[in-house]
Amino acid sequence: MKRTIAAAAALLLAVLIFSPAADAADSAAIRVGYQPGTAPRFFVAREKKMLEKAGLQPEYLKFISGPPMLAALQGENIDVAFMTTAPAIFALSQGIDIRVFFIESDAAETQALISTREAGLKSLADQKGKRIAVTFGTSAHYGLLKSLESEKIAESDVTILDMQPTAMLPAFIKADIAGAWTWDPWTAKMQSEGGTLIGSLASLGLPMAGIWVVRTKWLANNQELIQRFIKSLEMAAEYMKSHEADAINAIAGELGVEDRSARLIYGRIEVPSLDRQIDGYRAALGSAKTKSNSGMAAHMNDLTDFFFRLKRIPAKPDVIAAIEPQPLETYLHKQ
C-alpha cells in the first residue's frame, strides 16, 4: 500500500515538474472572434501566422452577424473580437464588459451613397425627393441621416426604404430605387452594376472605426498576451507595405468579391499606424489622460446618441470608460 502511495506521489510530482511546457502553451491561447469586414491587417496576420510568430496560440471563430458574436463575448467564449464601433455600443448598452484597445482600420469611405445610373444623382443634396434604400439601425443609416442634416434636408423629404443589402442590390439593379446607403462589399457590387459613389461618411468628415475589443476580465489577467497580439498586428502592417497583393487577396477571399472589387475596397480602407491610434487619427483613442476628449470618445458618443434616438439601445453606455489605450501605450513605450 505504501509503495502504491509512493508511486502515485512520484507520478504526481513528475506531472507537476514536466507540465510547465504544456501550461505555457495553454497560457498563450487566445480566442479571436471576427466578422468578414474591412480588416486587411488582421486577415494578413492570420494568413501569414503572425500571431503564432508573436508567441500566441490563436483559435479563430468567424461570425456572420453581430448578435452571436456579442453573445460569445458575454458567455466568455471569445477573448478579443473585431467589429466596428456600432456593435461595440450595442454590446456596452447590454452590459457586456469590454474595452476598446486597438484600431484595426477606418472604413468611412466604404460607408457610402451609391446612385443608380438611371437616377444620376450628382451630390448628397440630390437625395431630396428620391427613393433611398438603407438598412435601419446601421452605420450606413447613420451616414444617411448625417448627410440629410448636412444638406438641411428633412427626413420627410426623402422616401427612406429599410432594406437588407441582399434585397437592396436587386432593387438597385432594376432601378427601383434612386440610390442606396450601404457598405462594402455592397457598395463595390453596386458600382460594378453601373453605380456611382456620391458621398460617404469620409466626405462628411466622419470616421467609422473598425476596432478590436477585449473582455475586461480577460485583459486584467492577460496583459502579456495583449502585447503579443498588438505585436502580431504591427508585424502584419509592416508586411503589407511590400506585399499589398496579399492584403487585397485576403479582402477578396473574406468578402467574396473578385480582384477588381477587392482592389477598390482595399483602396478605401485606412489602416492607422500604432502611434496615430493614440493621436493623429480622427477617431484616435487618446491616452489614458486624454481619452475623455479623444476623437474616439466623440465618435462613439455621437453614434450612441444616434442609436438611442432610434430606440435601438435602452440606455446610453459610458463609452469613455470603455476606451482603454493603456495596452497600446505600454507597447509603444517598450518600442
Side-chain angles (χ1 to χ4, degrees):
M1 182 67 175
K2 290 182 178 179
R3 288 182 179 180
T4 301
I5 295 174
L11 179 61
L12 176 61
L13 181 60
V15 170
L16 291 173
I17 291 173
F18 293 105
S19 60
D23 289 343
D26 289 341
S27 70
I30 184 169
R31 298 169 299 175
V32 183
Y34 72 97
Q35 288 181 260
T38 51
R41 175 161 37 193
F42 163 62
F43 296 144
V44 167
R46 183 195 59 192
E47 295 302 317
K48 299 302 177 182
K49 307 291 185 183
M50 300 296 189
L51 278 75
E52 290 85 348
K53 291 174 183 177
L56 295 170
Q57 288 191 323
E59 176 186 357
Y60 299 110
L61 294 96
K62 184 176 181 178
F63 296 87
I64 302 303
S65 62
M69 184 160 65
L70 299 188
L73 284 166
Q74 180 81 327
E76 300 186 358
N77 296 314
I78 54 177
D79 306 313
V80 298
F82 167 72
M83 60 182 68
T84 62
T85 40
I89 289 166
F90 283 113
L92 293 168
S93 71
Q94 295 169 27
I96 300 175
D97 196 7
I98 56 173
R99 294 291 183 267
V100 178
F101 73 96
F102 193 90
I103 301 167
E104 164 71 26
S105 60
D106 183 275
E109 285 190 38
T110 76
Q111 310 271 334
L113 169 66
I114 308 295
S115 169
T116 63
R117 181 188 290 114
E118 292 77 5
L121 306 183
K122 301 298 182 184
S123 69
L124 294 174
D126 290 343
Q127 293 176 100
K128 187 173 182 178
K130 302 296 193 301
R131 290 164 58 87
I132 305 294
V134 72
T135 306
F136 280 16
T138 64
S139 50
H141 189 195
Y142 168 74
L144 165 61
L145 297 186
K146 283 291 186 179
S147 71
L148 299 183
E149 181 183 302
S150 71
E151 298 296 332
K152 297 179 173 54
I153 300 172
E155 289 181 46
S156 58
D157 288 335
V158 179
T159 301
I160 302 174
L161 306 173
D162 183 10
M163 303 175 71
Q164 292 298 316
T166 49
M168 199 182 291
L169 184 58
F172 186 92
I173 293 171
K174 293 188 293 184
D176 290 340
I177 53 178
W181 270 92
T182 188
W183 55 87
D184 277 324
W186 302 103
T187 48
K189 290 180 178 181
M190 289 177 188
Q191 285 180 278
S192 70
E193 295 292 342
T196 301
L197 194 153
I198 303 303
S200 66
L201 283 175
S203 67
L204 290 168
L206 298 169
M208 185 45 63
I211 56 175
W212 283 97
V213 304
V214 59
R215 290 190 293 110
T216 305
K217 178 181 174 182
W218 191 87
L219 175 62
N221 297 319
N222 294 278
Q223 294 283 345
E224 177 55 33
L225 296 195
I226 284 294
Q227 293 298 300
R228 297 181 195 178
F229 185 75
I230 293 172
K231 175 63 176 177
S232 72
L233 295 178
E234 182 187 35
M235 291 165 63
E238 193 62 30
Y239 177 87
M240 287 163 56
K241 291 178 181 178
S242 55
H243 298 83
E244 185 179 274
D246 286 345
I248 293 170
N249 289 337
I251 288 289
E254 282 295 332
L255 299 185
V257 296
E258 60 186 22
D259 181 74
R260 180 181 177 184
S261 292
R263 289 181 180 277
L264 182 64
I265 294 167
Y266 183 71
R268 291 201 274 249
I269 302 170
E270 180 183 356
V271 180
S273 61
L274 270 59
D275 58 338
R276 290 185 66 245
Q277 292 183 40
I278 297 295
D279 183 23
Y281 163 59
R282 56 188 163 185
L285 300 171
S287 67
K289 294 180 179 179
T290 65
K291 68 176 186 175
S292 61
N293 296 312
S294 68
M296 181 60 72
H299 168 52
M300 292 185 72
N301 273 320
D302 198 32
L303 274 176
T304 295
D305 290 341
F306 165 70
F307 289 127
F308 184 71
R309 179 163 65 87
L310 291 183
K311 299 182 180 179
R312 294 280 175 162
I313 56 176
K316 295 181 182 181
D318 184 351
V319 299
I320 294 173
I323 299 171
E324 183 50 87
Q326 180 270 324
L328 191 51
E329 286 187 287
T330 298
Y331 184 87
L332 289 170
H333 180 71
K334 288 179 180 179
Q335 302 309 302

